[in-house]
Amino acid sequence: MMDRRWFVARLPLAAAGSFALARAQQPSALEARLLAELEKLECVDTHEHIMPEKQRVAQPADFFLLAGHYAMNDVVSSGLPEASRRIIADSNAGDRARWQAFAPYWQHARFTGYGQALRIAIREVYGFEEISGGTISRINAAISAMNRPGLYRKVLKEKACIRFAVLDDGRHADAAEVDREFFIPARRFDAFVTPADAAAIGRLEKMTDVSITSLGGLEKALAANFERNLKAGMAAVKSGMAYARDLRFPERPEAEANRDFDALMRGERRAPEGFRRNIERPYRALEDYMFHRVVQLVEAHGLPMQIHTGLHAGNANFVANTRASFLNNVFLRYPRVKFDIFHISYPYQHELAVMAKLLPNVYVDFCWAHIVSPSGARRALDEFLDTVPVNKIFGFGGDYRFPELSYAHLVMARRNIAAVLAARTAAGWCTEDEADSIGRMLLCGNPAAVFRASGRAA
């Protein structure tokens, strides 16, 4: 028979990821102490899409601009009509009309993780407790007034205390410089993996100054562009392939890839329209072959590789394409590559736990996760702490276009980590000093070690 004292003593640990434990009661003194230490910690942010400050401050900024990244996805999911979306997007429509179009659906979405992050940003960066028809014009005026040079230093350095962030600016293999005060660059080479037609090949020729008339030419163009990005300080390679297709990448014979390349150049196969293209890939052998060429370059140059897995941004896609377990053969084939697996592969986080437990080169990344589902992130962290060596967990990546929202996401991440570690400390899993050390590893030490190893991080 189970010893009741054993069960009661460990109940907080079993429930550490639950909403009831983490938020329905006031934080314990232990949790408050851990959180206070994490709030002082200089963090490493593993993933951002933040636009250059010069570009940000050159455009009008208001509440609806900030709401447009992620929060609007949940507003749309709640039923926002297309006509209302057009009104909200029209800056000339006026604050009142835009708010009236937004508010009926926002009232249902404001409680989601995305909604929470937006509310935190408005409260803690701009000083407004309430977002309503009565405050929207004042909120917009405050955002506009702060939309000046110096915004990024104020938010990312002074408020968020971020040492550096790994920036994926969304440009495929663009060697443009980033602001090294805040960012180190991750670059994408997906355009070399998934050319859709001869016109796409032509764009790659123009970008690389390499003639591409054969599969060998495509490989040379990829290598040339990779080298150009290395010289520009590339610190990691990012793959967003899960938005376009499933993540199964078997190794293909060169002859199969050659046949696909030749068929593509002749226009023999037409890609289907709409989201069917994410399943019916007409040149799959070429894609699989080129994906492995990218990973081989990553391996040869000792870079970490970041891969999107799990939930997609937006309001439509095939989530089942994105399981981290589909990459098992890739993880095994390239043991020297450190794979930074994004978004905890949510909702397939249990599969990622197994991958990271078994394979030394697989790392768990909580970027995006704390805003996708704050409670889900707590439960996942609780599970990962049991299954995965603690040095292989990255605790935060903002994954936003706007620094105010990245700051808000970090607020949520710190709270989540403190809540889980406090519950585990109370249950006897670790001491308070050990919990503090683990929190520091998750938010700084672990990702800093991986990105320093690339030789390109500050």
Side-chain angles (χ1 to χ4, degrees):
M1 182 175 179
M2 180 180 290
D3 186 329
R4 179 175 173 80
R5 290 171 299 175
W6 185 95
F7 178 79
V8 172
R10 287 157 177 78
L11 183 57
L13 177 60
S18 73
F19 186 88
L21 176 71
R23 287 292 169 262
Q25 61 189 38
Q26 290 296 317
S28 66
L30 170 60
E31 182 179 335
R33 288 196 301 272
L34 290 171
L35 179 58
E37 291 302 312
L38 294 181
E39 287 174 338
K40 292 185 290 187
L41 178 67
E42 190 178 46
C43 299
V44 171
D45 178 345
T46 61
H47 179 53
E48 291 292 359
H49 296 288
I50 296 173
M51 66 181 69
E53 184 181 57
K54 184 176 180 180
Q55 179 183 341
R56 161 65 191 270
V57 301
Q59 63 179 301
D62 62 11
F63 169 82
F64 298 104
L65 179 73
L66 300 186
H69 199 190
Y70 292 141
M72 189 63 74
N73 293 165
D74 286 345
V75 173
V76 169
S77 182
S78 78
L80 181 74
E82 182 59 37
S84 296
R85 294 181 71 176
R86 289 195 292 270
I87 294 170
I88 294 165
D90 182 3
S91 59
N92 295 317
D95 292 343
R96 180 180 177 82
R98 297 171 80 193
W99 177 255
Q100 288 178 339
F102 183 79
Y105 304 93
W106 166 245
Q107 68 174 329
H108 304 303
R110 62 197 173 104
F111 301 110
T112 69
Y114 297 162
Q116 291 175 51
L118 181 58
R119 288 188 287 138
I120 289 170
I122 297 303
R123 181 176 66 249
E124 298 195 14
V125 178
Y126 294 106
F128 290 86
E129 290 289 337
E130 179 183 275
I131 302 169
S132 68
T135 62
I136 192 66
S137 292
R138 286 184 288 135
I139 290 171
N140 285 345
I143 294 172
S144 179
M146 199 182 289
N147 194 44
R148 301 286 186 272
L151 172 67
Y152 283 22
R153 167 156 283 279
K154 178 179 179 62
V155 176
L156 296 175
K157 294 295 186 182
E158 296 173 14
K159 287 191 70 67
C161 200
I162 293 173
R163 180 185 299 179
F164 66 84
V166 182
L167 181 68
D168 169 15
D169 63 8
R171 298 180 221 176
H172 290 274
D174 188 339
E177 187 51 78
V178 302
D179 188 339
R180 293 307 179 112
E181 181 180 4
F182 307 107
F183 307 114
I184 60 173
R187 295 299 185 204
R188 300 190 189 203
F189 298 91
D190 296 348
F192 293 91
V193 178
T194 59
D197 50 32
I201 295 293
R203 290 190 291 272
L204 294 177
E205 288 181 320
K206 184 176 180 180
M207 181 172 66
T208 61
D209 296 322
V210 174
S211 175
I212 306 174
T213 58
S214 65
L215 176 63
L218 182 59
E219 293 183 72
K220 288 179 183 177
L222 166 64
N225 197 256
F226 201 97
E227 186 63 33
R228 187 180 302 171
N229 278 280
L230 285 170
K231 291 178 180 177
M234 177 172 62
V237 170
K238 163 71 185 299
S239 171
M241 294 288 295
Y243 278 89
R245 52 162 284 172
D246 67 78
L247 292 177
R248 296 181 180 91
F249 293 101
E251 292 188 79
R252 301 279 193 166
E254 184 176 350
E256 289 185 16
N258 263 314
R259 284 195 292 271
D260 269 7
F261 180 88
D262 292 343
L264 178 147
M265 295 300 285
R266 291 193 296 266
E268 289 181 0
R269 309 167 195 163
R270 184 175 179 81
E273 298 296 326
F275 279 106
R276 284 181 55 221
R277 69 180 183 273
N278 292 15
I279 296 177
E280 301 173 35
R281 308 295 298 179
Y283 307 110
R284 180 172 285 270
L286 174 63
E287 292 176 356
D288 294 342
Y289 180 89
M290 290 303 298
F291 181 83
H292 281 270
R293 300 293 81 72
V294 171
V295 183
Q296 287 162 13
L297 286 169
V298 170
E299 181 180 48
H301 292 281
L303 293 174
M305 185 165 187
Q306 302 181 313
I307 302 181
H308 176 103
T309 65
L311 179 74
H312 303 94
N315 290 95
N317 213 316
F318 295 102
V319 179
N321 282 353
T322 70
R323 308 169 87 114
S325 58
F326 289 165
L327 293 160
N328 201 336
N329 67 307
V330 176
F331 299 152
L332 291 170
R333 175 67 176 80
Y334 304 101
R336 293 188 297 165
V337 175
K338 290 181 169 64
F339 290 98
D340 176 5
I341 303 304
F342 274 15
H343 318 315
I344 64 172
S345 202
Y346 184 86
Y348 305 110
Q349 62 269 30
H350 309 298
E351 296 181 5
L352 178 55
V354 174
M355 295 286 100
K357 184 175 186 66
L358 294 177
L359 301 169
N361 59 334
V362 176
Y363 292 73
V364 173
D365 198 322
F366 273 80
C367 61
W368 202 17
H370 300 283
I371 56 170
V372 168
S373 173
S375 60
R378 290 192 294 276
R379 289 191 297 271
L381 178 57
D382 201 44
E383 177 178 353
F384 287 130
L385 288 172
D386 276 337
T387 54
V388 179
V390 72
N391 65 313
K392 296 175 62 185
I393 303 172
F394 301 161
F396 167 71
D399 205 352
Y400 269 118
R401 291 197 296 268
F402 308 115
E404 303 97 315
L405 294 166
S406 294
Y407 162 76
H409 189 175
L410 182 52
V411 169
M412 296 168 70
R414 285 173 164 139
R415 290 174 182 171
N416 271 354
I417 292 168
V420 173
L421 291 175
R424 284 181 163 262
T425 302
W429 180 80
C430 63
T431 67
E432 184 172 343
D433 284 346
E434 288 170 332
D436 180 71
S437 177
I438 291 168
R440 291 173 181 275
M441 292 176 70
L442 300 184
L443 287 175
C444 183
N446 294 345
V450 167
F451 292 106
R452 279 201 206 101
S454 73
R456 293 170 179 84

